[in-house]
Amino acid sequence: MLKLFTALTLLLLTVTGAAAAPQTILALGDSLTAGLGLGPADAFPAKLEAALKAKGHDVKVINAGVSGDTAADGAARLDWALGEPVNAVIVELGANDALRGLPVAQAEQALDQLLTALEQKKLPVLLAGMKAPPNMGVDYQQAFDGMYQRLAAKHPAVLVYPFFLDGVAADPKLNQGDGLHPNPAGVDAIVARMLPGVEQLLGKAAAN
């Protein structure tokens, strides 16, 4: 009888601990995710975690942003980034491909492989899109800007936020001196706009 009681107690503690564990989101990206030019508390993952907690979510957001990463770079380090268990992933990649004028097909193939790998791991994904700078020419812009919707069509389970810098790009009040990276107020604006999509992502993670 004592053994049965002990076993039931351990089971209850295990279930309770599992229920209390926070949901973990991996934010995989480049300098926009890493928080280039910002303090750790002002980076996108930290501010997103704070905003989600303020809305009552028990969540942890891992900053897996690496400045300078292309889509291929991000895809190549996916397994390393998933070094600890996570419940969902935000993918923010492609900006450096566009800035360097790298072939759109190259970025698209890398993101396709990344999304496929995450699907195989049964991890819900929110894909944050990017836009090519106008100096790259109309043809490049159209091909690049359409990449994220093409990926969404190929991976219908993936949630898509069309433009990571929506409402922030080209606004001097929301960007650092380089005109490319958001300042703390800019990150706040990004988080506020993305929050509904991230909550939807958490819902999918909970359903898993």
Side-chain angles (χ1 to χ4, degrees), residues 70-72 91-98 102-112 115 127-132 139-155 158 160-162:
T70 62
V91 176
E92 176 276 306
L93 289 163
N96 288 309
D97 297 81
L102 299 178
V104 174
Q106 177 179 307
E108 191 163 346
Q109 181 181 26
L111 289 172
D112 181 26
L115 295 176
L127 177 63
M130 188 52 58
K131 292 185 181 295
D139 290 344
Y140 188 92
Q141 267 190 296
Q142 290 179 345
F144 184 90
D145 294 357
M147 174 174 66
Y148 298 93
Q149 288 305 320
R150 292 193 298 272
L151 289 165
K154 190 171 182 179
H155 301 272
V158 171
V160 178
Y161 183 76

Side-chain angles (χ1 to χ4, degrees), residues 177-191:
D178 63 6
L180 297 173
H181 295 91
N183 58 27
V187 177
D188 286 335
I190 293 169
V191 168

Side-chain angles (χ1 to χ4, degrees), residues 181-201:
H181 295 91
N183 58 27
V187 177
D188 286 335
I190 293 169
V191 168
R193 287 172 179 262
M194 286 189 68
L195 203 56
V198 178
E199 288 188 297
Q200 187 178 354
L201 179 69

Side-chain angles (χ1 to χ4, degrees), residues 19-145:
Q23 287 186 296
T24 302
I25 300 174
L26 177 75
L28 180 69
D30 47 41
S31 58
L32 296 173
T33 293
L36 183 68
L38 302 173
D42 287 325
F44 169 73
K47 282 184 174 280
L48 176 62
E49 180 179 305
L52 288 167
K53 286 182 174 178
K55 295 200 70 176
H57 297 284
D58 186 12
V59 64
K60 173 185 176 183
V61 182
I62 299 173
N63 189 338
V66 174
S67 296
D69 260 15
T70 62
D73 293 329
R77 62 183 176 86
L78 176 62
D79 288 340
W80 170 83
L82 290 171
E84 63 178 277
V86 305
N87 303 102
V89 180
I90 296 173
V91 176
E92 176 276 306
L93 289 163
N96 288 309
D97 297 81
L99 287 172
R100 300 173 192 175
L102 299 178
V104 174
Q106 177 179 307
E108 191 163 346
Q109 181 181 26
L111 289 172
D112 181 26
Q113 292 174 347
L114 192 156
L115 295 176
T116 298
L118 291 172
E119 286 175 341
Q120 291 172 346
K121 296 177 186 294
K122 302 188 184 306
L123 288 170
V125 180
L126 172 61
L127 177 63
M130 188 52 58
K131 292 185 181 295
N135 65 315
M136 297 308 300
V138 175
D139 290 344
Y140 188 92
Q141 267 190 296
Q142 290 179 345
F144 184 90
D145 294 357

